[in-house]
Amino acid sequence: MVSMVMPVKWAAIKSRSPKENWKSQLVSMYSGSIEAIFAVESEDDGAVQVVKELQEELAHLEGVTIKVAVAGPATTCSQKIANILAALRAVSPESRYIFCMDANCKLHPGTVHLMMNELENDASVFVATGYPFDMPPENASIWAWTMAQFRYNCLSEFLSNRSTFVWGGAMVLRRADVEQNMYGLLDWWRKGGYSDDMQVQACAQDAGRMIATPLSAIFPNELKKDVTFDYCWGFLRRQNWVLFTYSSWKNWARHMTLLFLYAVPNASWLPAFLLSLASLAEAPLRPARLTEPAVAIHLAACVGFLITFHAAIAAIANMCNHLSPEAQRLSLAQFTPFCLGSSLLMQSALAPAVTIANLLNTSMEWGNIRYECRWGRVVEVQHPHSSPVRVSQSLT
């Protein structure tokens, strides 16, 4: 039996079709029993009504149970972690695995079985994880493409079936490991935890345990069409801000390395492109400029990268179509060189700005809740229309 733990905040979901994604997570080829526990902050959350609709629509499925857990306002950690902890308290005692996931991925029919196998067959694996394949719809805004571009950068972790990366939208843990608080995971979550997946990743890496990343655990997710700059900026800031949270000095060193790679080498695309444009603009006056090795090599590298990039995207889409043959086939009509190239440059331009903004601001707002961070931990939580709550006071 596997328990699907689904922390939900309806207003924060960025997927275009969360209900369809949830259906794909519950209608599976997995032969064991499945219980889905949707955890919300309050019963007023818009997701509750959608979950009730799912309970009615999927009532005919044998071996599938759908529950709702209410966490209440978080005071010692992020609201997502508080929702996860509430769901864990509702897990059936017969369950052997905890499958944490969110609304931003559409599972393939064989995904649950695939992820279980990683943990069943390799005792050194602490967690198995997947990742979303974000697809902006046709005529989507440049900001939707910029968000997707950030995700594409992270897909480099799926070059092998073992990596150093965990995504909280699809991660599987052994229930016994969680309940026994292995490596202090529950304590790290409860006491000032902000990012559920980065903490699982830290526990695995600090303990020398494996992180399984099955190569076919990549899930299509259609983004909303009308993403604004503010929404994109908030998304990038939140993704970057988790690197300022940590639980050990080893964890801090890894995060600072990732922060440097994101803010410096990743930011080189835009200046390199502008230099190339300057060289092309100079060509009518100095035709020999185009034959200079540095200019020719860079232009060839840019063109070659875009061709390779598009081929990789096509390979992922083709794999998803084969893994979910009954689903609507993924189309790549919108993946033009202009969309891929412009979003790459936009993501590159925003990377240093996002990093500087987070260096100058120790607080983050997610789902209308403000979190204050010190020395890698959340120290204060403020919900809308209420005074800030110190984590140390709540724990005592």
Side-chain angles (χ1 to χ4, degrees), residues 85-209:
L85 295 173
L88 291 177
R89 291 190 290 270
V91 166
S92 169
E94 289 80 26
S95 181
R96 287 187 61 184
Y97 293 100
I98 306 295
F99 196 151
C100 296
M101 62 179 64
D102 62 25
N104 297 318
C105 68
K106 184 175 291 184
L107 296 191
H108 306 296
T111 296
V112 179
H113 182 76
L114 171 75
M115 304 284 264
M116 298 303 109
N117 273 351
E118 293 290 344
L119 292 165
E120 284 282 330
N121 298 326
D122 190 346
S124 68
V125 171
F126 180 61
V127 58
T129 189
Y131 204 66
F133 173 42
D134 282 357
M135 299 187 64
E138 290 191 36
N139 301 318
S141 69
I142 182 62
W143 309 116
W145 280 100
T146 303
M147 288 172 55
Q149 190 67 238
F150 176 88
R151 296 289 201 195
Y152 300 153
N153 287 350
C154 297
L155 279 173
S156 60
E157 287 287 347
F158 282 78
L159 295 174
S160 71
N161 62 356
R162 295 292 182 269
S163 79
T164 59
F165 178 82
V166 177
W167 180 56
M171 64 179 182
V172 185
L173 296 152
R174 295 178 181 86
R175 174 171 163 257
D177 291 348
V178 176
E179 290 193 344
Q180 292 168 16
N181 196 20
M182 188 167 284
Y183 312 125
L185 175 61
L186 290 179
D187 292 335
W188 287 119
W189 273 353
R190 289 192 189 105
K191 301 174 182 179
Y194 176 78
S195 174
D196 56 316
D197 47 12
M198 298 298 272
Q199 190 57 68
V200 171
Q201 176 181 317
C203 288
Q205 290 184 289
D206 288 351
R209 297 289 296 277

Side-chain angles (χ1 to χ4, degrees), residues 65 75 119 210 225 269 287 296 336 357 393:
T65 306
T75 57
L119 292 165
M210 293 291 104
K225 181 178 179 179
W269 284 101
T336 63
Q393 295 175 349

Side-chain angles (χ1 to χ4, degrees), residues 227-239:
V227 173
T228 63
F229 169 77
D230 288 343
Y231 190 92
C232 175
W233 174 261
F235 168 80
L236 293 176
R237 270 204 66 201
R238 289 193 300 274
Q239 298 299 315

